[in-house]
Each structure stands twice: as structure tokens, then as C-alpha cells.
Amino acid sequence: MDVSALYIRKFVSRVQLTKNQVVATCTPDTKSRACGLVAVGSFFIGWTESLAIAAITLTTLNQAELGSAGGIGGSIRFLITSISTTVYNVVLSNRLAEEVPNKVGAAVTANGLPASSIASFISALSVGPTALTSIPGVSPSIIAAGTRAYRVATANSFRTVFLTTIAFSAVALISTLFLPDFDPLLSDKVATTLGKEKEKVKNIQTEATES
């Protein structure tokens, strides 16, 4: 097994799986942990993507088709991103629709908000404090309890999204098993001579003038 393939597999498994699982443990009270994990995870994800792009171009049999190979690789990445983003948005929307009414409704009811005002309260949460104060039967303690419950509900919803990423990460991890060995391609040999474009243009112009 080549060293480059091992590094890519480690990055994919650790960053995509472990990082997402750990972020799923974050709550509204662990902002520093969430920011740190996302920052570190984003750095290593970028590193992994750079290695993937290098692997695509290095293993292209016809080096004259580097642009096409890189373009196809990028298109595949965008396709996977579109699919995963759609799945994440659907999961998040469904979880919010379930978590917010349950958590917020229970919290504000326990603090004395009339049942007839719960729907208005939940709708006003996305508007701001001004909208909350205009709801019949609301009080500062109800607003505080409802806001806290909304944050918890949102965190729970995003937790499900982070856990959903494990499925895509597992597929990516399995895909790394088919990585080719490109260590022998990491040499000083170049596919074409670079840096003499001016001389080529001058020769072409000279030949055109003589003819």
C-alpha cells in the first residue's frame, strides 16, 4: 500500500467520520467546541480535496487531457455536493418541523403561555424580540424559556444532519480502497517542455513571413 493512499484514507476516515460525530455532540452551551471542530475539520477537508485533485491529474494516462480529467473530477464533486446538500436540507427541515413545536411548545406552556398563543410565539421566534413582546399572554420569563428551547431544538436538528453525513463519509471511505498507486509518478519527469512559448511563437512568425 503506497504512503499517499494511506494518507488520503486516514484523512477521509478521521475528518469525515470522527469530526462529524464529535460536532454532533455540541449544544448551545458549547460554542467554542463547535467553532474549534469546524475550523480544524475544514482545514483537513481542504487538504484532502487538494490531494484528491492531485491524484486525478497524476493518474491521467494521457497528460494532454489534464484539463478534461480535472474538469470531470470537479463535476463529479459538484454532483455529489448537490445530492448531499439536498439530503441535508430535507433532514434539517423535517427535524426542525418536529423539534421546534415540541420543545418550544412544552417550554412556554410550562411557564404560563396560553395554548392559543403557542403558534404565534413559534412564528415570532424567527422575527425577533419585538414580535415576541406583542403576543398575548407573553412575559419575559416565557420569552427566555421559549428562546432557550428554540436553541436546543435547533441544535438537536443540526445534530441529526451531522450524523447523516456519516453515510456519505462511509461511501467515501470505501471508495478510497480503489485508489491507484501514484507514488511511482512522483518523479522529476515532465510530460512536456514548458517556458519556451515565446521562442515557438517567434519561429512560427518567422516561418509565416518567409513563406
Side-chain angles (χ1 to χ4, degrees), residues 80-93:
I80 296 174
T81 301
S82 300
I83 296 174
S84 60
T85 301
T86 301
V87 173
Y88 299 154
N89 285 333
V90 171
V91 171
L92 180 60
S93 298

Side-chain angles (χ1 to χ4, degrees), residues 124-147:
L125 281 171
S126 59
V127 178
T130 304
L132 291 173
T133 56
S134 62
I135 297 175
V138 76
S139 66
S141 61
I142 293 176
I143 293 177
T147 302

Side-chain angles (χ1 to χ4, degrees), residues 100-110 112-125 132 135-136:
V100 172
N102 292 337
K103 291 288 191 299
V104 176
V108 296
T109 301
L113 184 70
S116 59
S117 300
I118 294 178
S120 300
F121 186 92
I122 294 176
S123 300
L125 281 171
L132 291 173
I135 297 175

Side-chain angles (χ1 to χ4, degrees), residues 8-19:
I8 294 178
R9 294 181 186 185
K10 288 180 181 179
F11 287 140
V12 172
S13 61
R14 291 180 181 178
V15 176
Q16 300 293 340
L17 291 175
T18 306
K19 173 256 186 181

Side-chain angles (χ1 to χ4, degrees), residues 1 5-13 173 176-179:
M1 182 63 63
L6 285 176
Y7 272 122
I8 294 178
R9 294 181 186 185
K10 288 180 181 179
F11 287 140
V12 172
S13 61
L173 181 59
T176 60
L177 298 175
F178 303 96
L179 285 173

